[in-house]
């Protein structure tokens, strides 16, 4: 241990040593003790003989593990500034192989996992300059070390344990490398989650370092949990909810299994309800409302299985079962998610696959990036689905999308969000992507600015990054379902007041009404919506056709304006990604002499 790390450990031990020391004394002796205890592995083996659905999922895991056996081990290979793809693949491989050995006892799986872990342990570092890479690599080796402990050779144990400490825990204690301990986003959860797994795995042989890491984790994890309050709306969007929350759950589950206590982390405001919120951001089509940096294509998420078990609510798995309908579906799900073996550990009781979500049809969640959701059914794939949001562009991974919405009806997503652009494609072009100031290059990225989102633009200007839009009115009553978001802070300096109201009218008609005041006369006010539909224009009416269905978009307020449509093409440059097949339906009206304008637009789905 370096002198610097020793001093950090000593300082941490002086500050509240008693709590971590007591927790280390409570660490369950022997292995495995992370996520599942020996008796739980025994129970899982027994269930496999009695539950066909679980057995089919397990079989796909074993097949995937067997396919890894002839593969070469991972190599140290960075992409840009990240080693993250290697760390994530280490999680994928080690979990699969260690799971397969725990269930089958086949030595080939243990030997292959050992080789993989020794390869990662031999890396010169786990890339602490991008500490997510360290968090995930530490998690991979901690779980493998714990689950395979009895089958690893003594030399391999020593090497893997040393790597966990030298390349994971010690860099995590270095103040120059761990500013993420105070961030209120997924970095906090992934880094502290991975380090906590590492500390618990090696606690009996590395008590001082493990105690210091647990102290760091206990002091810092409340930052990562803060954004869930009050209603479980994760500010970084559903894709990052799955990422940050997976590591938060790994941390909670490991603390429970190894210490018998989760430090009351699961009781943090909004955390447990966030699983229901995740479902609310999933439309009837199975696509996400992908605000912030994310994609609309929903993937299989094993972490939801933990919530379903913890809350005794198998209905939370409604959308997860859709990924497991056939053997091919199951293989795809297992191949695409590195945490896939954990779903088997958290599998619900037999017969749960028919449960559906017991969640409201009309719902509003507050917080830093508030959303409102309206749907006509939880079981009809052709149901109406409207989701809209407030928020601010200065939030982590946020876009200039306050006031935006997505719309589904009759099985078609009519209004969409383009989602994120892959980071390395921008960083490699030297775009200052993580600067959130008003003048940042970040907002020259088409998919991140208001010029690509389903919202308003005034005078061709960007939204204010520090303007926080909030919902000032919401009604869940079926006869008057609506939500009003105050966008005034987003347009500070461009208008005195801007309010957008979404209303569900009879026959699934959706009304979007914008009320603006204090806009300089003559200033162009642009309304727009991104869509994959074919669009036919006739003045103040647009007819959208997609997948054999039709949607009419019509201006119903007395404003002299007509619709236009153009491809969702970004400016001509060398860094913006193309958006093939997407069109922008827009309407532009000048602010009148009295500086007040109301735009009322209705979206009418047709059977």
């Amino acid at each position: 241990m370096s002198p610097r790390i020793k001093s950090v450990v000593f300082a941490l031990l002086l500050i509240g040593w008693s709590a971590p020391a007591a927790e280390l004394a409570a660490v369950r002796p022997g292995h495995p003790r992370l996520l599942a205890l020996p008796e739980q592995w025994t129970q899982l083996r027994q269930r496999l003989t009695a539950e066909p659905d679980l057995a089919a999922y397990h079989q796909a895991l074993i097949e995937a593990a067997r396919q890894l056996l002839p593969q070469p081990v991972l190599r140290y290979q960075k992409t840009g500034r990240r080693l993250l793809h290697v760390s994530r693949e280490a999680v994928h491989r080690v979990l699969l192989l260690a799971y397969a050995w725990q269930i089958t006892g086949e030595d080939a799986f243990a030997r292959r996992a050992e080789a993989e872990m020794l390869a990662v342990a031999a890396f010169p570092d786990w890339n602490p300059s991008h500490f997510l890479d360290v968090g995930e690599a530490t998690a991979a080796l901690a779980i493998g070390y714990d689950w395979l402990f009895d089958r690893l050779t003594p030399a391999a144990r020593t090497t893997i344990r040393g790597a966990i400490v030298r390349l994971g825990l010690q860099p995590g204690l270095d103040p120059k490398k761990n500013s993420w301990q105070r961030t209120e986003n997924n970095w906090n959860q992934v880094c502290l989650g991975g380090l906590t797994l590492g500390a618990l795995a090696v606690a009996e042989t590395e008590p001082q370092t493990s105690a210091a890491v647990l102290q760091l984790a206990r002091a810092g994890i409340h930052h990562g949990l803060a954004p869930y309050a009050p209603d479980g709306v994760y500010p970084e969007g559903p894709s990052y909810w799955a990422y940050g929350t997976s590591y938060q759950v790994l941390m909670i589950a490991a603390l429970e299994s190894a210490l018998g206590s989760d430090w009351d982390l699961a009781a943090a405001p909004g955390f447990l309800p966030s699983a229901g919120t995740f479902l609310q951001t999933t439309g009837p089509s199975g696509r996400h409302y992908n605000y912030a940096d994310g994609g609309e294509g929903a993937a299989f998420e094993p972490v939801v299985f933990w919530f379903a078990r913890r809350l005794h609510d198998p209905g939370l798995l409604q959308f997860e079962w859709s990924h497991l309908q056939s053997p091919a579906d199951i293989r795809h799900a297992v191949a695409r998610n590195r945490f896939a073996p954990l779903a088997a550990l958290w599998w619900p009781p037999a017969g749960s696959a028919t449960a559906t979500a017991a969640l409201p049809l009309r719902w509003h969640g507050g917080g830093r990036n508030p959303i409102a959701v309206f749907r006509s059914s939880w079981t009809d794939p052709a149901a109406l689905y409207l989701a809209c949001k407030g928020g601010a562009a200065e939030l982590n991974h946020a876009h200039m999308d306050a006031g935006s919405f997505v719309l589904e009806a009759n099985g078609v997503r009519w209004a969409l969000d383009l989602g994120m652009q892959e980071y390395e494609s921008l960083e490699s072009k030297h775009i200052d992507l993580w600067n959130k100031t008003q003048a940042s290059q970040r907002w020259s990225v088409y998919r991140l600015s208001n010029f690509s989102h389903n919202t308003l633009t005034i005078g061709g200007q960007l939204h204010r990054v520090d303007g926080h839009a909030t919902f000032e009115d919401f009604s869940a009553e079926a006869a008057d379902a609506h939500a009003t978001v105050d966008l005034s802070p987003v347009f500070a300096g461009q208008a005195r007041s801007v309010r957008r109201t979404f209303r569900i009218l009879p026959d699934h008609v959706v009304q979007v009404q914008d009320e603006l005041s204090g806009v300089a006369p003559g200033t162009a006010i642009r309304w727009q919506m991104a869509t994959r539909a074919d669009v036919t224009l006739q003045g103040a009416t647009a007819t959208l056709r997609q997948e054999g269905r039709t949607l009419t978009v019509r201006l119903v307020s007395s404003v002299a304006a007509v619709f236009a449509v153009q491809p969702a093409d970004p400016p001509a440059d060398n860094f913006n990604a193309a958006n093939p097949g997407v069109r922008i339906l827009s309407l532009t009206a000048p602010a009148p002499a009295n500086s007040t304008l109301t735009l009322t637009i209705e979206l009418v789905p047709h059977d």
Side-chain angles (χ1 to χ4, degrees), residues 222-458:
H222 69 91
H223 293 293
L225 285 164
Y228 291 90
D231 301 316
V233 180
Y234 200 69
E236 300 174 70
S239 295
Y240 273 97
W241 176 88
Y243 184 35
T245 303
S246 290
Y247 271 93
Q248 187 65 68
V249 163
L250 284 175
M251 182 178 182
I252 290 170
L255 288 169
E256 288 177 330
S257 62
L259 298 180
S261 167
D262 74 347
W263 298 343
D264 292 326
L265 300 183
F271 178 70
L272 290 176
S274 73
T277 301
F278 182 64
L279 267 69
Q280 291 285 7
T281 61
T282 307
S285 67
R287 299 186 180 104
H288 284 317
Y289 175 25
N290 55 314
Y291 63 89
D293 278 345
E296 68 176 13
F300 176 66
E301 297 297 348
V303 69
V304 183
F305 284 72
W306 182 89
F307 282 93
R309 171 171 285 198
R310 182 64 173 252
L311 296 171
H312 307 288
D313 184 3
L316 292 172
L317 296 169
Q318 174 176 328
F319 292 112
E320 302 314 312
W321 296 129
S322 67
H323 297 285
L324 306 175
Q325 294 300 299
S326 70
D329 290 339
I330 297 172
R331 288 193 296 270
H332 181 75
V334 166
R336 293 291 298 275
N337 195 294
R338 61 194 178 282
F339 304 117
L342 300 179
L345 293 176
W346 299 328
W347 203 264
S352 299
T354 58
T356 56
L359 296 169
L361 294 173
R362 295 164 290 278
W363 179 83
H364 163 245
R368 302 172 188 180
N369 220 352
I371 62 174
V373 178
F374 305 88
R375 72 176 77 219
S376 59
S377 171
W378 277 103
T379 57
D380 182 3
L384 178 76
Y385 177 77
L386 172 73
C388 53
K389 70 182 295 294
E394 68 179 2
L395 299 171
N396 201 47
H397 288 292
H399 296 187
M400 290 181 168
D401 61 359
S404 74
F405 64 98
V406 297
L407 174 67
E408 292 184 12
N410 296 324
V412 174
R413 176 155 290 195
W414 296 102
L416 62 93
D417 190 305
L418 291 173
M420 68 174 289
Q421 180 172 336
E422 198 274 328
Y423 303 144
E424 177 59 19
S425 71
L426 297 164
E427 292 172 341
S428 64
K429 303 295 195 306
H430 307 294
I431 300 300
D432 190 7
L433 185 58
W434 306 110
N435 181 341
K436 300 292 184 65
T437 62
Q438 190 69 42
S440 170
Q441 282 183 301
R442 177 178 178 83
W443 312 120
S444 65
V445 180
Y446 180 70
R447 294 189 187 181
L448 308 188
S449 75
N450 47 290
F451 303 134
S452 70
H453 285 96
N454 304 337
T455 186
L456 295 173
T457 296
I458 298 178

